[in-house]
Amino acid sequence: MRLVVQVKLLPTPEQEAALEATLRACNDAAMWVSTLAHEQRVFGNYDLRKHVYGQIKDEYGLAAQAAQHVIKKVTDAYTTLKSNIRAGNLGAQGSRRRERAEGKPIAFRPQAAQPFDDRCLSWQMGAQTVSIWTVTGRMKSIAFTASADQLKTLAAWRKGESDLVHRDGMWFLMATCDLPDRPVRTPDGFVGVDLGIADIATTSDGVHHSGKGLNAVRHRHRELRRRLQAKKTKSAKRLLKRRRRKEARFAANTNHTIAKQIVTEAERTGQGIALEDLSGIRDRVRLRKPQRVTLHSWSFHQLGGFVAYKAARAGIALVYVDPAFTSQQCSRCGHVDKKNRPDQETFLCTSCGFAEHADVNAARNIASRGVAGWAVSHAADDAA
């Protein structure tokens, strides 16, 4: 299992100037390579290298490995663009959004992240410093800080590339750690998790993780952004820039807390976890305009990702199920009817009279589908 650990660098002014010059040179080179690749329609790593490798080293002062990483960064960006086009994420053929994306080269910000491998970056875990290649020479003894758990993970499992990131005036390294897969225990049943907006997550055990606080914070931030954008003053723009990631950090912390509680309870009871497969939900659901903002700020994918990696680290079985009609199906008798939902919170089966909170009922349906999905998948494995 791969895990990304973020550590904060504490460079001196001299080291910071070298890091900034390095990022700028790498991204200037990436912008030039991207433009040439777009004009020449050359997007393969090996083919593009024949066109640009020597010029990157000569004109931008990059070392061999840094030049290779710049080329790979560009080709990876175009691979991602093509994947999004194939998946329809940028609209159909001829749509304005797709034509805009295809009609110009991919741009790289002057301070966009840059990958470094072990030839360009070395870690001194005991001293909590790193040595990194820069355009002004090898910069040694750059201090970094991290939590005790992060340091332990880095020392034991760090492997592969690390990305240098400059964000909000601070420097970070995103280090890839390759943890061994933990054997998945055979689950004693499944806990179903219904994801929503009013309640961020509801489990089949009847536990509600309310979204009231998170939605209130988002509404407050949205109103503050609207007022500051209307002012158009320098101080308002500075405040907007300073606060731009505050909401995202709050949402991520909330999702981490919820995911940890769900996984801890599943581990305590020996159960697996069943989640809804909500991929593409924003394209499928049709809502009124006031509701669209709430849906598009709903970070269900992030919460699902947090649950998935925490479950993998704990050896807990995780299955994704089809969410169709889970909110309309009776978890007791299986009857499906729109009239089973008289309002947002209430489930009342028109067939057997079973009554329950709507989200708890949906979570129980998800748990049942999780049991069935696990049985089917393992029956196929046993047959093979």
Side-chain angles (χ1 to χ4, degrees):
M1 182 185 73
R2 288 197 170 182
L3 190 68
V4 176
V5 174
Q6 173 181 285
V7 301
K8 185 178 180 181
L9 297 180
L10 305 171
T12 64
E14 179 188 0
Q15 293 168 340
E16 185 170 8
L19 294 176
E20 191 166 356
T22 301
L23 270 192
R24 186 172 295 276
C26 290
N27 286 300
D28 285 348
M31 192 66 240
W32 175 74
V33 174
S34 177
T35 302
L36 187 142
H38 185 266
E39 291 174 352
Q40 303 291 328
R41 313 307 296 171
V42 178
F43 301 115
N45 191 11
Y46 180 74
D47 295 332
L48 192 56
R49 192 182 305 165
K50 291 190 294 185
H51 285 78
V52 302
Y53 176 70
Q55 288 175 267
I56 292 177
K57 292 179 64 180
D58 295 339
E59 296 182 17
Y60 295 93
L62 302 187
Q65 284 301 110
Q68 301 276 22
H69 282 300
V70 164
I71 297 168
K72 188 174 185 300
K73 181 164 77 169
V74 173
T75 57
D76 287 348
Y78 278 104
T79 300
T80 301
L81 175 62
K82 290 179 181 178
S83 298
N84 282 324
I85 290 172
R86 282 196 301 270
N89 296 334
L90 298 177
Q93 180 75 35
S95 67
R96 289 178 60 187
R97 187 181 178 193
R98 179 167 170 175
E99 287 182 351
R100 269 201 314 270
E102 293 180 307
K104 60 182 180 181
I106 293 175
F108 293 87
R109 294 177 294 103
Q111 294 183 336
Q114 176 66 21
F116 289 84
D117 60 20
D118 288 344
R119 297 182 184 180
C120 307
L121 173 69
S122 60
W123 298 74
Q124 295 80 46
M125 297 304 302
Q128 278 191 223
T129 61
V130 294
S131 169
I132 187 170
W133 173 88
T134 71
V135 290
T136 60
R138 190 86 178 187
M139 227 13 100
K140 298 182 179 180
S141 302
I142 302 177
F144 69 87
T145 183
S147 69
D149 184 56
Q150 288 174 320
L151 291 173
K152 183 178 178 181
T153 303
L154 281 171
W157 310 115
R158 190 201 63 78
K159 184 178 181 181
E161 296 179 355
S162 301
D163 286 353
L164 178 64
V165 177
H166 189 210
R167 187 174 65 216
D168 297 336
M170 296 177 287
W171 292 91
F172 301 94
L173 279 173
M174 307 296 184
T176 303
C177 296
D178 197 358
L179 281 68
D181 291 333
R182 185 168 175 178
V184 176
R185 298 189 301 273
T186 301
D188 182 17
F190 277 80
V191 55
V193 182
D194 178 63
L195 304 179
I197 296 175
D199 285 336
I200 298 175
T202 303
T203 70
S204 52
D205 298 329
V207 179
H208 297 267
H209 299 278
S210 175
K212 185 176 180 180
L214 178 57
N215 291 332
V217 168
R218 283 182 168 148
H219 177 74
R220 187 167 67 249
H221 279 268
R222 192 160 58 242
E223 286 300 305
L224 179 60
R225 283 197 301 270
R226 182 184 61 80
R227 292 199 301 269
L228 290 173
Q229 287 166 354
K231 287 181 178 296
K232 298 181 180 179
T233 61
K234 288 185 177 180
S235 59
K237 291 177 182 177
R238 282 197 299 270
L239 184 58
L240 276 169
K241 185 176 181 181
R242 191 162 65 244
R243 296 179 62 89
R244 62 180 173 169
R245 290 193 179 90
K246 191 170 184 179
E247 179 186 336
R249 289 195 299 269
F250 180 82
N253 181 67
T254 301
N255 282 335
H256 267 300
T257 302
I258 293 171
K260 185 175 182 179
Q261 291 173 359
I262 292 171
V263 171
T264 300
E265 181 62 18
E267 187 174 21
R268 185 187 70 81
T269 58
Q271 294 177 296
I273 300 173
L275 289 177
E276 301 167 278
D277 182 4
L278 295 176
S279 56
I281 189 172
R282 289 190 173 96
D283 297 323
R284 297 195 307 267
V285 175
R286 296 292 179 264
L287 296 172
R288 292 175 297 171
K289 192 171 182 179
Q291 297 173 307
R292 292 175 198 163
V293 174
T294 303
L295 177 68
H296 285 275
S297 62
W298 182 32
S299 54
F300 63 87
H301 180 75
Q302 184 187 70
L303 175 58
F306 289 168
V307 171
Y309 94 79
K310 291 178 191 294
R313 293 191 73 178
I316 295 173
L318 177 71
V319 296
Y320 291 92
V321 304
D322 184 358
F325 306 111
T326 51
S327 62
Q328 299 175 15
Q329 180 181 359
C330 177
S331 59
R332 175 174 291 178
C333 71
H335 176 65
V336 179
D337 194 335
K338 285 184 179 181
K339 295 179 181 178
N340 287 347
R341 291 287 300 275
D343 57 54
Q344 193 272 331
E345 291 188 355
T346 307
F347 182 89
L348 180 60
C349 182
T350 57
S351 177
C352 69
F354 174 70
E356 181 56 274
H357 190 285
D359 293 342
V360 174
N361 178 76
R364 289 175 181 171
N365 287 326
I366 293 167
S368 299
R369 295 184 186 187
V371 172
W374 176 266
V376 169
S377 65
H378 280 70
D381 293 341
D382 294 340

